[in-house]
Amino acid sequence: MPSQSLSSLLSTSAIDLNPYETLYKHFHAHPELSLQEAETASKAASHLESLNAGYEIHTSIGGHGLAGVLRNGTGKTILLRADMDALPVQEDTGLEYASKVTMRDNDDLVKPVMHACGHDMHVTALLAAAERLAEMKGSWSGTLIVLFQPNEERAGGAQAMVDDGLYSKVPVPDIVLGQHIIAMRAGSVLSRLGNILSEADSFKITLFGRGGHGSMPHRTVDPVVMAASVVMKLQTIVSREVSPDQFAVLTVGSLQAGQTENIIADQAVVRVNVRTQDHEVRNQVLAAIRRVVKGECEASGATKEPLIEETTKFPLSVNDVAVSKSVHRSFEGFFGDRFNSNTACWTASEDYSILGSSQGKPCCFWFFGGVDEKIWDEAKEKGRLDEDIPVNHSPFFAPVIQPTLKTGVDTLCIAALTFLTH
């Protein structure tokens, strides 16, 4: 469908977003950790059913996964995806609808929970798009799938839905489309051809020492010192082993050892996250991690070999060129200079592409901004974007509801309608 026709069509088919602003606040105030998204999924399913639009609703796919199918004649099958899970973060936004939720995580530890990555906005935008596209059925034909995915943050939700027979319940899509809110100026939309999101690998590394009294370190093998050596040496992998013209990020996000100051623990746990955008670089970095960890443990006199366990793995997300060119033309026609079609490949990671790649189907992904325009413009003018604009996963991450929500709904509708022809 030509972008001019799309713009005209969408301008005359708006829905009332006030109820969705209220729904967004509900989701924000009631976040749920990965693998525990029961109430979010139930709320989304109830809302889809309340539309009375003819959606076939399938629940409990791969955990709490949900899919709605709207069949509307012949044409392509388009899948729109949103993720539902929240993060173990103590919210510090000061919003009147801020989360006060705590939950037990998979390690049975009580954690504060926050929608610090904006998945509440993703769910709300997709529900609104589902209503809007249903009301526009006379203007398109084909099959629409709206999919609400659990467990994105732990990289397991998309694969779990596929493994649980997703495509025996809903049609295999011709195209998979997804989006993510980011800390950019509200109303802006960004995408690119080719690589759009990095590959990611995470590890739990257990180092083994010999515990004892804090006053007698010579009778022990201190895993804290061992871990400190490992952490410092790991930092040299990217800076001294990866070519400067290649991309890699290695982050030690957690180091845990001991319970009090006068006891030397018998083990330490280091959690490492790696981001790459090239398979050869990935293999190089992962091999270096194993070499460094084993070498430092041997040098420290570890009592046994370190245990290196992979905890999550995200695929490299690649925007299909032909599909993305079509989406980009539609975005350019609707958003004008608010759309950037050549953003850098982002260092963050996603698992949504498994919904397409597992079936050999193309994907397209984009970002939309959620920072109040005035706040963004002031921070940019002062040269303080890094200091003043909280990013995803920050306890201060608080997207402005509008025009963020409207933009997220528009992008989903425009992208779907690009391929759903009358």
Side-chain angles (χ1 to χ4, degrees), residues 15 40 70 249:
I15 61 171
T40 303
L70 184 60
V249 173

Side-chain angles (χ1 to χ4, degrees), residues 14 24 33 37 43 50 58 67 90 105 107-108 115 143 161 184 282 323 327 329 344 365 380 400:
Y24 167 75
L33 291 175
E37 312 92 339
K43 185 82 170 176
S50 73
H58 304 269
Q90 179 70 58
D105 66 9
D107 296 322
D108 202 33
H115 267 301
T143 299
M161 292 188 75
M184 291 290 289
R282 172 185 178 266
V323 168
V327 172
R329 281 194 294 270
F365 198 83
K380 185 176 182 180
V400 62

Side-chain angles (χ1 to χ4, degrees), residues 154 201-208 222-235 237 250-258 266-274 289 292-294 296-297 306-312:
R154 304 304 301 162
D201 298 88
S202 293
F203 300 90
K204 175 186 176 183
I205 303 173
T206 305
L207 312 176
F208 300 98
D222 192 339
V224 174
V225 176
M226 190 189 310
S229 297
V230 167
V231 171
M232 294 306 295
K233 187 64 175 178
L234 287 175
Q235 303 309 309
I237 293 175
L250 190 158
T251 296
V252 177
S254 174
L255 195 167
Q256 299 170 312
D266 60 358
Q267 63 180 246
V269 175
V270 179
R271 295 181 183 268
V272 178
N273 178 258
V274 177
I289 289 173
V292 164
V293 171
K294 291 182 178 181
E296 291 298 322
C297 287
L307 178 61
I308 303 175
E309 303 170 275
E310 185 172 71
T311 54
T312 63

Side-chain angles (χ1 to χ4, degrees), residues 354-367:
I354 292 171
L355 298 170
S357 63
S358 65
Q359 310 301 307
K361 299 300 182 180
C363 302
C364 179
F365 198 83
W366 61 88
F367 307 100

Side-chain angles (χ1 to χ4, degrees), residues 78-292:
I78 303 301
L79 188 152
L80 300 177
R81 174 270 201 178
D83 38 12
M84 298 187 289
D85 50 336
L87 288 161
V89 174
Q90 179 70 58
E91 181 161 357
D92 205 8
T93 61
L95 294 169
E96 63 178 0
Y97 51 91
S99 169
K100 298 178 176 62
V101 171
T102 61
M103 299 183 78
R104 290 191 178 274
D105 66 9
N106 294 331
D107 296 322
D108 202 33
L109 300 174
V110 176
K111 299 285 183 67
V113 188
M114 175 191 175
H115 267 301
C117 203
H119 296 184
D120 47 351
M121 185 65 74
H122 300 170
V123 172
T124 308
L126 184 52
L127 288 171
E131 178 183 350
R132 190 176 187 183
L133 288 167
E135 290 191 0
M136 298 170 64
K137 284 171 64 176
S139 301
W140 60 269
S141 65
T143 299
L144 174 69
I145 304 170
V146 290
L147 184 143
F148 300 83
Q149 180 200 309
N151 195 24
E152 184 275 333
E153 293 292 351
R154 304 304 301 162
Q159 190 66 58
M161 292 188 75
V162 172
D163 291 345
D164 196 30
L166 169 66
Y167 293 122
S168 67
K169 299 174 175 66
V170 307
V172 174
D174 294 301
I175 297 168
V176 173
L177 303 170
Q179 64 179 4
H180 208 295
I181 186 172
I182 57 171
M184 291 290 289
R185 194 177 195 272
S188 62
V189 181
L190 305 85
S191 189
R192 64 177 280 113
L193 304 180
N195 293 355
I196 182 74
L197 288 154
S198 301
E199 195 165 12
D201 298 88
S202 293
F203 300 90
K204 175 186 176 183
I205 303 173
T206 305
L207 312 176
F208 300 98
R210 184 169 60 246
H213 201 288
S215 68
M216 294 180 280
H218 59 293
R219 302 286 296 275
T220 72
V221 175
D222 192 339
V224 174
V225 176
M226 190 189 310
S229 297
V230 167
V231 171
M232 294 306 295
K233 187 64 175 178
L234 287 175
Q235 303 309 309
T236 68
I237 293 175
V238 173
S239 66
R240 288 297 176 267
E241 298 190 35
V242 176
S243 172
D245 62 357
Q246 295 285 355
F247 167 82
V249 173
L250 190 158
T251 296
V252 177
S254 174
L255 195 167
Q256 299 170 312
Q259 300 297 326
T260 190
E261 70 277 4
N262 68 338
I263 300 174
I264 294 174
D266 60 358
Q267 63 180 246
V269 175
V270 179
R271 295 181 183 268
V272 178
N273 178 258
V274 177
R275 310 281 173 145
T276 54
Q277 296 171 1
D278 178 272
H279 293 309
E280 290 186 8
V281 174
R282 172 185 178 266
N283 293 338
Q284 176 191 4
V285 172
L286 298 192
I289 289 173
R290 296 182 182 276
R291 186 194 75 237
V292 164

Side-chain angles (χ1 to χ4, degrees), residues 373-388:
E373 299 105 311
K374 182 179 179 181
I375 293 174
W376 176 270
D377 292 344
E378 289 178 353
K380 185 176 182 180
E381 184 177 350
K382 295 175 182 177
R384 292 184 54 85
L385 288 174
D386 290 343
E387 296 87 350
D388 295 348

